[in-house]
Amino acid sequence: MPQLSAYLSFDGNCADALHFYERVLGGRIEAMIRYADAPPDAAMPALSADDAERIMYARLALDEQTLMGSDATAGHPYPGKKGMALSLAYPTVSDAQRVFEQLSDGGTVTMPLQKTFWAEAYGALVDRFGTRWMVSGGRLTH
């Protein structure tokens, strides 16, 4: 069975975002490669000095899961993050609340963390990097 991983695009702040996610989610950055670090035989298009410092590939390990990302370049402008969200499910409400508060710092809460018919706590937000998150904690028994 293949492993499904999320790959996020950023507009020059991929490194900041992945370091933030590493701290908040408790993961470990396994790779952070700038466009300037590509080998000479990689057939990269000509890049501006700004683009050369952007992240070409980043990988954050979260237990058995992976979150990846990269920065857009002038040749491939940043389209924004549309029509997607990352979902985090925690076994306890306290874990969900802690992560929800940290992810929402500098972002926008679109639904406060609250009891729903499917979870003891559920909330939604857009973080300061434009990534949509859905966070839940605990499960209700029916």
Side-chain angles (χ1 to χ4, degrees), residues 21-138:
Y21 300 151
E22 178 183 44
R23 181 176 51 79
V24 171
L25 302 176
R28 184 181 79 257
I29 292 177
E30 296 181 329
M32 185 77 67
I33 303 168
R34 299 173 309 138
Y35 284 95
D37 297 330
D41 62 347
M44 298 294 294
L47 298 170
S48 69
D50 178 55
D51 282 349
E53 294 304 310
R54 288 177 174 233
I55 301 301
M56 179 175 68
Y57 175 77
R59 184 176 62 246
L60 174 64
L62 301 162
D63 291 327
E64 299 297 316
Q65 301 167 86
T66 305
L67 179 62
M68 297 178 285
S70 63
D71 285 315
T73 62
H76 296 90
Y78 179 67
K81 295 179 188 78
K82 300 174 185 167
M84 58 75 60
L86 298 178
S87 179
L88 295 168
Y90 289 94
T92 67
V93 172
S94 61
D95 287 337
Q97 186 171 15
R98 176 184 50 79
V99 170
F100 187 86
E101 288 173 4
Q102 291 179 43
L103 286 173
S104 65
D105 184 27
T108 303
V109 172
T110 56
M111 180 179 173
L113 203 62
Q114 58 191 287
K115 187 174 183 175
T116 65
F117 66 90
W118 67 87
E120 291 178 57
Y122 171 84
L125 63 102
V126 178
D127 71 20
R128 64 179 138 192
F129 302 103
T131 303
R132 291 181 54 225
W133 295 90
M134 300 182 298
V135 181
S136 62

